[in-house]
Amino acid sequence: MPTKRKYVSPRREEAAAQTRAQILRSATRLFAERGYGRVTVADIAAEAGVSSKAVFASAGSKGDILNEIVDTAVRASGYEQAMRTVLAEQEPEAVLRALAHGTRAGNEGMFTVHEAIHKALPSHEDGEALWERATADYRAALRAAAGHLHGLAPLAWPEEETADLLWFWFGPGGWRTLVAENGWPWDRAEAFLLRTALATLRAS
């Protein structure tokens, strides 16, 4: 007797995907506003307009949701396109300008997601691993930019130190310190970080 195929409704699948997306958006907002440790699954359900049972069925536990937020942030960061622009530049100052603008765009566009991740670190059961996963591609991109800079012009310090400096200027910490903690506009933060990086480059 032939096996009966299970019918899959495209409309039902679309509704399920929309529910999942709403849950993830709601959780991201709550984690960013209150911090991961202060948000419950019931809070996420209320924010998303669904039941707690629906949250578990659609997106899993609170930890599962945070993991998905991190993975989504990495996929949506746009760092690959930004790095193509950076690596196409053939003047060191142009490289730094492209880095300043590209990392600004990524941090500004993903600000709520980055805040959700940042505020989760103190209370997450494995915050160090979470942060490493969230920033691994970002760090790798800045290391590639450092190698490109050293290929364009001799610098007075090793390539590894250049990568450290790029992380200091254009990593998430620098942007968050100026914008989130001190209330700087993004334009002002970009101009300042670029100016600082250029001054260091010119002094080498």
Side-chain angles (χ1 to χ4, degrees):
M1 184 175 179
T3 303
K4 188 175 181 180
R5 291 184 179 179
K6 184 179 179 180
Y7 173 70
V8 178
S9 166
R11 185 173 297 178
R12 186 175 297 174
E13 285 191 334
E14 182 180 355
Q18 290 175 349
T19 297
R20 179 180 174 81
Q22 179 59 35
I23 290 169
L24 292 172
R25 285 194 298 270
S26 298
T28 301
R29 284 196 298 271
L30 291 175
F31 292 162
E33 291 169 4
R34 304 182 195 173
Y36 175 80
R38 296 181 178 179
V39 175
T40 66
V41 170
D43 293 331
I44 297 169
E47 179 78 7
V50 299
S51 67
S52 294
K53 183 178 179 181
V55 172
F56 282 110
S58 181
S61 67
K62 194 171 75 166
D64 292 332
I65 292 170
L66 181 60
N67 284 332
E68 181 62 26
I69 289 170
V70 171
D71 293 340
T72 299
V74 172
R75 291 194 300 269
S77 66
Y79 77 93
E80 291 176 333
Q81 177 58 49
M83 283 306 298
R84 280 194 287 271
T85 301
V86 168
L87 297 178
E89 298 291 354
Q90 296 302 309
E91 296 293 335
E93 292 193 5
V95 170
L96 292 179
R97 290 182 188 280
L99 275 173
H101 187 69
T103 56
R104 177 258 177 94
N107 280 274
E108 184 176 13
M110 301 296 290
F111 181 75
T112 302
V113 173
H114 290 176
E115 281 296 283
I117 296 169
H118 177 82
K119 291 184 179 180
L121 299 177
S123 57
H124 192 271
E125 55 271 18
D126 197 355
E128 184 176 351
L130 180 74
W131 181 244
E132 287 179 359
R133 197 165 101 250
T135 60
D137 287 339
Y138 199 152
R139 280 189 175 275
L142 292 183
R143 283 196 295 270
H148 184 50
L149 282 169
H150 278 260
L152 295 175
L155 297 177
W157 49 81
E159 185 176 315
E160 182 178 346
E161 191 170 318
T162 302
D164 292 340
L165 288 170
L166 293 180
W167 183 254
F168 177 69
W169 294 322
F170 304 124
W175 293 107
R176 189 177 190 280
T177 296
L178 294 178
V179 176
E181 296 181 4
N182 292 292
W184 284 31
W186 287 96
D187 285 345
R188 184 184 176 196
E190 179 180 348
F192 173 77
L193 292 171
L194 174 60
R195 190 165 61 248
T196 304
L198 287 173
T200 305
L201 182 71
R202 290 165 182 161
S204 66

XYZ file of all heavy atoms in Angstrom, residues 34-69:
251
model
N 15.579 45.702 27.944
C 15.619 45.272 29.345
C 16.841 44.432 29.699
O 17.219 44.355 30.871
C 14.365 44.443 29.669
C 13.053 45.137 29.401
C 11.916 44.218 29.811
N 10.637 44.653 29.275
C 9.513 43.953 29.376
N 9.527 42.764 30.005
N 8.386 44.405 28.856
N 17.408 43.776 28.708
C 18.476 42.820 28.968
C 17.919 41.410 28.985
O 16.804 41.166 29.456
N 18.701 40.501 28.471
C 18.283 39.096 28.331
C 17.803 38.492 29.645
O 16.781 37.802 29.696
C 19.469 38.313 27.774
C 19.305 36.821 27.664
C 18.603 36.265 26.602
C 19.891 35.957 28.597
C 18.480 34.895 26.473
C 19.765 34.590 28.481
C 19.058 34.063 27.415
O 18.938 32.693 27.294
N 18.521 38.756 30.729
C 18.192 38.142 32.013
C 16.875 38.594 32.601
O 16.299 37.902 33.445
N 16.368 39.742 32.171
C 15.128 40.292 32.729
C 13.905 40.025 31.862
O 12.815 40.513 32.162
C 15.286 41.795 32.926
C 16.347 42.166 33.950
C 16.440 43.664 34.125
N 17.430 44.027 35.133
C 17.727 45.270 35.470
N 17.103 46.277 34.875
N 18.641 45.510 36.392
N 14.092 39.267 30.811
C 12.988 38.972 29.890
C 12.623 37.499 30.003
O 13.499 36.631 30.013
C 13.386 39.309 28.436
C 12.286 38.892 27.468
C 13.679 40.800 28.297
N 11.330 37.206 30.094
C 10.853 35.829 30.140
C 10.187 35.470 28.813
O 9.868 36.332 27.999
C 9.821 35.650 31.266
O 8.651 36.436 30.945
C 10.389 36.110 32.607
N 9.961 34.184 28.623
C 9.238 33.730 27.440
C 7.841 34.325 27.436
O 7.309 34.696 26.377
C 9.195 32.191 27.389
C 8.232 31.714 26.299
C 10.585 31.619 27.133
N 7.237 34.460 28.611
C 5.909 35.070 28.693
C 5.943 36.525 28.224
O 5.007 36.995 27.565
C 5.396 34.987 30.126
N 7.018 37.235 28.555
C 7.162 38.619 28.078
C 7.227 38.660 26.550
O 6.606 39.509 25.909
C 8.433 39.248 28.646
C 8.394 39.450 30.146
O 7.294 39.639 30.693
O 9.479 39.403 30.757
N 8.021 37.758 25.992
C 8.164 37.702 24.534
C 6.817 37.386 23.885
O 6.423 37.999 22.879
C 9.213 36.658 24.138
C 10.593 37.059 24.674
C 9.268 36.481 22.622
C 11.649 35.972 24.555
N 6.101 36.435 24.467
C 4.792 36.057 23.934
C 3.832 37.240 23.950
O 3.131 37.501 22.962
C 4.222 34.891 24.746
N 3.796 37.969 25.068
C 2.897 39.116 25.171
C 3.257 40.191 24.152
O 2.380 40.789 23.519
C 2.949 39.682 26.590
N 4.550 40.437 23.990
C 5.005 41.453 23.029
C 4.657 41.049 21.600
O 4.315 41.900 20.764
C 6.517 41.638 23.170
C 7.138 42.644 22.232
C 6.916 44.088 22.646
O 6.382 44.320 23.755
O 7.266 44.980 21.855
N 4.762 39.756 21.310
C 4.498 39.261 19.956
C 3.019 39.011 19.697
O 2.622 38.791 18.541
C 5.286 37.977 19.718
N 2.202 39.024 20.762
C 0.772 38.784 20.602
C 0.416 37.332 20.373
O -0.555 37.015 19.685
N 1.230 36.431 20.960
C 0.964 34.994 20.844
C 1.052 34.375 22.235
O 1.377 35.046 23.212
C 1.979 34.313 19.896
C 1.888 34.907 18.493
C 3.407 34.435 20.427
N 0.789 33.087 22.319
C 0.904 32.395 23.597
C 2.334 31.945 23.840
O 3.141 31.842 22.902
C -0.011 31.169 23.608
O 0.451 30.206 22.674
N 2.643 31.666 25.109
C 3.968 31.132 25.427
C 4.198 29.799 24.721
O 5.311 29.502 24.259
C 4.114 30.952 26.936
O 4.086 32.195 27.605
N 3.138 29.010 24.616
C 3.236 27.719 23.922
C 3.630 27.929 22.464
O 4.456 27.184 21.920
C 1.894 26.993 24.015
C 1.909 25.603 23.386
C 0.560 24.920 23.554
C 0.563 23.537 22.907
N -0.767 22.863 23.054
N 3.083 28.981 21.852
C 3.411 29.266 20.450
C 4.869 29.692 20.310
O 5.516 29.374 19.304
C 2.485 30.359 19.915
N 5.390 30.408 21.306
C 6.795 30.816 21.271
C 7.694 29.588 21.272
O 8.602 29.462 20.443
C 7.138 31.733 22.465
C 8.649 31.980 22.524
C 6.403 33.054 22.357
N 7.426 28.672 22.195
C 8.244 27.455 22.272
C 8.135 26.624 20.993
O 9.124 26.096 20.487
C 7.835 26.610 23.480
C 8.377 27.106 24.789
C 7.540 27.661 25.734
C 9.741 27.030 25.069
C 8.043 28.128 26.953
C 10.253 27.489 26.271
C 9.405 28.041 27.215
N 6.907 26.516 20.466
C 6.690 25.696 19.274
C 7.345 26.309 18.042
O 7.856 25.591 17.171
C 5.188 25.534 19.039
N 7.353 27.626 17.961
C 7.847 28.302 16.761
C 9.336 28.614 16.812
O 10.039 28.480 15.806
C 7.073 29.605 16.544
O 7.515 30.269 15.393
N 9.809 29.057 17.989
C 11.192 29.543 18.071
C 12.027 28.859 19.141
O 13.233 29.087 19.217
C 11.184 31.054 18.314
N 11.420 28.063 19.991
C 12.179 27.357 21.017
C 12.276 28.132 22.317
O 11.466 29.022 22.604
N 13.291 27.805 23.097
C 13.499 28.441 24.394
C 14.069 29.839 24.229
O 14.419 30.260 23.117
C 14.466 27.601 25.226
O 15.759 27.639 24.627
N 14.200 30.543 25.329
C 14.795 31.881 25.279
C 16.230 31.818 24.755
O 16.647 32.671 23.965
C 14.763 32.504 26.688
C 15.038 33.987 26.697
C 14.779 34.613 28.063
C 15.871 34.267 29.050
N 15.815 35.126 30.263
N 16.964 30.802 25.150
C 18.328 30.632 24.649
C 18.355 30.350 23.155
O 19.215 30.860 22.429
N 17.404 29.535 22.676
C 17.305 29.254 21.242
C 17.032 30.545 20.471
O 17.596 30.772 19.394
C 16.180 28.257 20.961
C 16.462 26.871 21.502
O 17.651 26.506 21.613
O 15.495 26.150 21.818
N 16.166 31.371 21.027
C 15.810 32.635 20.376
C 17.024 33.544 20.282
O 17.292 34.149 19.239
C 14.658 33.319 21.131
C 13.367 32.514 20.970
C 14.458 34.753 20.642
C 12.233 32.963 21.863
N 17.793 33.638 21.359
C 18.987 34.488 21.334
C 19.993 33.964 20.318
O 20.611 34.749 19.584
C 19.624 34.550 22.721
C 20.869 35.438 22.823
C 20.552 36.884 22.445
C 21.458 35.370 24.236
N 20.154 32.654 20.246
C 21.071 32.081 19.256
C 20.643 32.439 17.838
O 21.474 32.756 16.991
C 21.128 30.559 19.412
C 21.956 30.122 20.597
O 22.879 30.818 21.012
N 21.617 28.978 21.171
N 19.341 32.410 17.588
C 18.836 32.766 16.264
C 19.053 34.244 15.975
O 19.372 34.630 14.852
C 17.346 32.419 16.156
C 16.727 32.739 14.810
C 17.348 31.977 13.653
O 17.896 30.874 13.874
O 17.290 32.479 12.514
N 18.911 35.084 16.989
C 19.166 36.515 16.827
C 20.625 36.741 16.430
O 20.928 37.537 15.537
C 18.822 37.268 18.124
C 17.309 37.307 18.328
C 19.386 38.693 18.095
C 16.879 37.821 19.694
